[in-house]
Amino acid sequence: MAAVSKGPVALALSSRWAKPVVFALGLAPLGWMVWLGLSGGLGVEPVAEAVRQSGLWALRLLLVALAVTPLRILTGQAGLARFRRMIGLFAFFYALLHVSVYVGVDQFFDWAAVWKDIVKRPYITVGMGALVILTALAATSTNGMVRRLGGRRWKALHKAVFVAGAAGCVHYVMLVKGWQYPPFVYAAIFLGLVALRYAKGPVAGWSGGSVLAWVSPRRHEGH
């Protein structure tokens, strides 16, 4: 029987260079923000702009991580699953950077002021809630934690990624003053991904499937 040949996309996804390329792409927004900061490109309020940019990249990468499974199923490119964990962890990284710049640079580690903001400003409360969830997901993203928790409990925990995604979108909508469409575009994308989570269709492997994991046990990633 003749061997089944892989297409160019599948070969690229399975290449040894694919993960380093995705890793470099994940660091690119950080490099761009550093360059803007050094060159004065962050505007008249560089700290506020750094907070905004890092938060946006956290939300973007979280949505990309959630989109991996439906894209894998719709395109038939199983190799996409290899990158879900990395993209999810980059989303956490930028969320942590977002909060770190706010706490360390904007508030100068004035914990009383930070706590006052969390209590007084609902959008900060919601955003901090999203970070707590992402921290729990990142901390349990290793194969060792999958074994310790057991597959069922691990999957149940990682369904919280949708709560984090919703909180991130709400945080953005509440943060923006006046009527501006970008936050609602992100929210619409998130709602579309949630709809796909529950969608059932003729695509093989879709019925009963889910987009519940932003990171997956290694055995599901094609390693």
Side-chain angles (χ1 to χ4, degrees):
M1 181 181 293
V4 177
S5 61
K6 291 185 177 181
V9 174
L11 289 173
L13 292 174
S14 62
S15 166
R16 59 180 294 188
W17 300 107
K19 280 194 171 183
V21 168
V22 173
F23 188 85
L25 290 173
L27 287 177
L30 175 62
W32 179 244
M33 283 187 286
V34 170
W35 167 254
L36 290 177
L38 295 175
S39 63
L42 290 177
V44 294
E45 296 183 335
V47 174
E49 183 62 17
V51 172
R52 190 183 77 86
Q53 288 291 335
S54 55
L56 279 174
W57 278 109
L59 184 55
R60 288 165 183 163
L61 288 168
L62 182 57
L63 294 177
V64 171
L66 289 172
V68 168
T69 293
L71 283 175
R72 175 181 60 81
I73 294 172
L74 291 172
T75 64
Q77 297 294 339
L80 287 170
R82 297 180 62 207
F83 312 104
R84 183 169 47 204
R85 180 181 345 220
M86 185 186 298
I87 297 169
L89 289 174
F90 266 119
F92 166 69
F93 168 74
Y94 283 103
L96 187 61
L97 179 65
H98 176 64
V99 174
S100 297
V101 174
Y102 161 70
V103 172
V105 184
D106 187 38
Q107 298 294 331
F108 295 102
F109 296 101
D110 185 341
W111 296 108
V114 170
W115 178 250
K116 183 178 179 180
D117 261 358
I118 292 174
V119 173
K120 181 180 178 181
R121 305 177 190 276
Y123 71 88
I124 295 181
T125 308
V126 173
M128 287 295 185
L131 178 65
V132 169
I133 294 172
L134 292 179
T135 301
L137 298 183
T140 56
S141 67
T142 64
N143 296 325
M145 287 304 299
V146 176
R147 290 191 293 270
R148 290 190 190 99
L149 291 173
R152 181 174 297 179
R153 284 189 295 176
W154 184 88
K155 288 182 178 181
L157 171 63
H158 279 255
K159 287 181 180 179
V161 67
F162 287 99
V163 179
C169 291
V170 171
H171 172 72
Y172 190 18
V173 170
M174 296 173 69
L175 172 65
V176 173
K177 296 178 181 179
W179 173 258
Q180 299 184 39
Y181 72 88
F184 296 98
V185 172
Y186 285 89
I189 293 171
F190 172 74
L191 291 174
L193 292 171
V194 172
L196 287 174
R197 159 68 174 85
Y198 295 101
K200 295 183 179 180
V203 181
W206 186 271
S207 180
S210 70
V211 196
L212 60 86
W214 67 319
V215 290
S216 289
R218 190 173 294 273
R219 63 179 178 274
H220 295 314
E221 293 187 346
H223 292 279

